[in-house]
Amino acid sequence: MTGHARRRVRPRFFLFVAIVLVATFWTLSAFHTKSGTISEPRLLPAKPKSLSLTVDTAYPPFALPAGLFDMRAILASQNVFVAGLSSHRSSHGLSFAITPQGVVQGPSPSMLAGGSLVLSQNMAWWAGGLRSQAPQQSAMNLNSNRTMTHFLPVPLANAAVAADQNLTFVAGGRSTHHLSDHIYALSQSTGNFHNWATLPQGVEKPFTATGGKWLIVGGGRLAGGPVNSHIWIYQLSSHRLFNTLDLPYSIHGAAMVYFHNHFWLLGGEHHHHLLSAIWLITPSAVIPTTGDLPLPLAKFGVGVLHHQIWVIGGLTPQGITATIRTLTFKEHPFPAKNTQPSKH
């Protein structure tokens, strides 16, 4: 054999060269793709379209005997039970049961401002509130005027309440040294509270409602005074925060109701401006509607009777009203399917 014998080029050399060429081509393509997208406009998610909603308003032939300054309302035994103070300078309380046939006046005891209307064991209680600016833990039975010293799990004022057939939820409120970030659940059969979930922030005077698979808490005032624009969606089965939605503006004094298997946010106040807007709230979106309340309204009672939303009293541009209104919704097809976000 000679020293100049020809070297064999093995097949794996060609495989190596092919891999290098493919990798180089992929890298250059990725670079050009990235470079091309730097100057392109960023696409923002589409805003939800308005839901076409027709609102028919009717006025029953009766009203509250007087407007209530610190009003609370809750559905009880197919009636809407309403209680509150006659004025902001008085502890004189008024309570009423509202039926489709009329208003039945209940007890008129002395009540603390900032209390909450709570259902327990088929009885209505005015729970918590402020005495000398200090939140209280006690509650007064509005049927018997009996007082229970340790009714609430902690002292609370300005908490929100929502009830279903089995539980009464008490959310947020002002506690002794801070705003509460707790959601407590009260068993309506036993009268016992337990800590149900935690809010992302402490808040007082939020709105809340429960229905279907969900509990919703939102709005109100945060620590330091700013008004909350968040809406927190909780899954009833897991007690977990499922989603956080944002309103386009902060809001307080609004009411939320579960009606036609959906949550509706009504009225409220933004920067001392009363609102008449109606929003559809789903687990994944805040959807504006074309419907409105018959007038701007905040701090009113709300309930559902005989397939209608009953809007009771409240603060209008002309002051506190004793008028009762009923709303019937005629909603048209939704703009898009309701997609569920991933869980937090």
Side-chain angles (χ1 to χ4, degrees):
M1 291 184 65
T2 66
H4 297 285
R6 183 178 298 176
R7 293 180 60 191
R8 286 183 62 196
V9 180
R10 299 187 180 184
R12 62 187 178 196
F13 174 79
F14 291 107
L15 179 61
F16 173 77
V17 171
I19 293 172
V20 169
L21 288 174
V22 170
T24 303
F25 178 78
W26 181 85
T27 304
L28 289 173
S29 299
F31 174 78
H32 286 301
T33 302
K34 284 186 179 178
S35 300
T37 58
I38 289 175
S39 59
E40 290 178 5
R42 188 175 154 208
L43 296 177
L44 298 175
K47 293 183 179 179
K49 295 179 181 179
S50 294
L51 172 69
S52 181
L53 183 71
T54 302
V55 181
D56 292 337
T57 304
Y59 295 83
F62 51 85
L64 294 176
L68 297 179
F69 171 75
D70 199 1
M71 180 185 292
R72 304 287 187 270
I74 200 164
L75 188 64
S77 301
Q78 305 305 310
N79 300 322
V80 178
F81 198 73
V82 178
L85 303 183
S86 57
S87 77
H88 69 282
R89 292 187 183 138
S90 170
S91 61
H92 177 63
L94 298 172
S95 63
F96 309 95
I98 298 175
T99 74
Q101 290 73 41
V103 176
V104 179
Q105 184 160 350
S108 300
S110 177
M111 295 158 58
L112 297 178
S116 297
L117 188 57
V118 176
L119 296 179
S120 176
Q121 297 176 304
N122 296 318
M123 294 180 288
W125 299 76
W126 188 258
L130 296 168
R131 179 178 285 117
S132 302
Q133 299 305 309
Q136 300 298 302
Q137 194 172 357
S138 60
M140 183 179 58
N141 188 303
L142 293 180
N143 304 98
S144 65
N145 288 347
R146 178 170 62 95
T147 298
M148 183 179 291
T149 306
H150 292 88
F151 181 87
L152 295 171
V154 295
L156 282 176
N158 298 325
V161 175
D164 61 17
Q165 294 181 348
N166 302 311
L167 297 175
T168 297
F169 298 96
V170 178
R174 178 171 294 279
S175 194
T176 304
H177 300 295
H178 59 277
L179 298 187
S180 173
D181 62 355
H182 289 287
I183 301 174
Y184 298 102
L186 168 69
S187 169
Q188 293 184 19
S189 59
T190 66
N192 296 323
F193 275 100
H194 64 273
N195 194 357
W196 190 83
T198 303
L199 296 168
Q201 294 175 273
V203 62
E204 67 174 331
K205 297 184 179 179
F207 54 77
T208 186
T210 184
K213 301 177 181 179
W214 312 103
L215 172 72
I216 297 182
V217 182
R221 290 193 176 273
L222 303 172
V227 181
N228 184 26
S229 62
H230 299 309
I231 296 178
W232 298 305
I233 314 290
Y234 285 83
Q235 197 169 34
L236 290 176
S237 59
S238 67
H239 302 197
R240 291 175 180 255
L241 179 64
F242 183 81
N243 201 10
T244 297
L245 305 177
D246 287 305
L247 288 162
Y249 46 75
S250 56
I251 189 171
H252 67 101
M256 179 171 281
V257 63
Y258 187 69
F259 181 63
H260 283 187
N261 299 316
H262 297 293
F263 290 94
W264 305 91
L265 179 62
L266 314 175
E269 188 174 355
H270 172 67
H271 286 174
H272 307 290
H273 178 68
L274 297 178
L275 307 171
S276 60
I278 298 175
W279 301 81
L280 170 67
I281 310 298
T282 77
S284 57
V286 175
I287 302 175
T289 76
T290 59
D292 285 300
L293 296 174
L295 78 170
L297 201 62
K299 301 177 181 178
F300 52 95
V302 66
V304 176
L305 291 175
H306 285 209
H307 309 292
Q308 295 175 313
I309 297 176
W310 287 61
V311 175
I312 304 156
L315 178 64
T316 74
Q318 289 72 43
I320 297 172
T321 180
T323 302
I324 298 173
R325 302 166 175 85
T326 63
L327 309 180
T328 303
F329 287 177
K330 297 176 183 176
E331 65 221 65
H332 300 282
F334 288 88
K337 272 188 175 179
N338 250 348
T339 56
Q340 304 242 338
S342 59
K343 295 182 182 180
H344 284 209

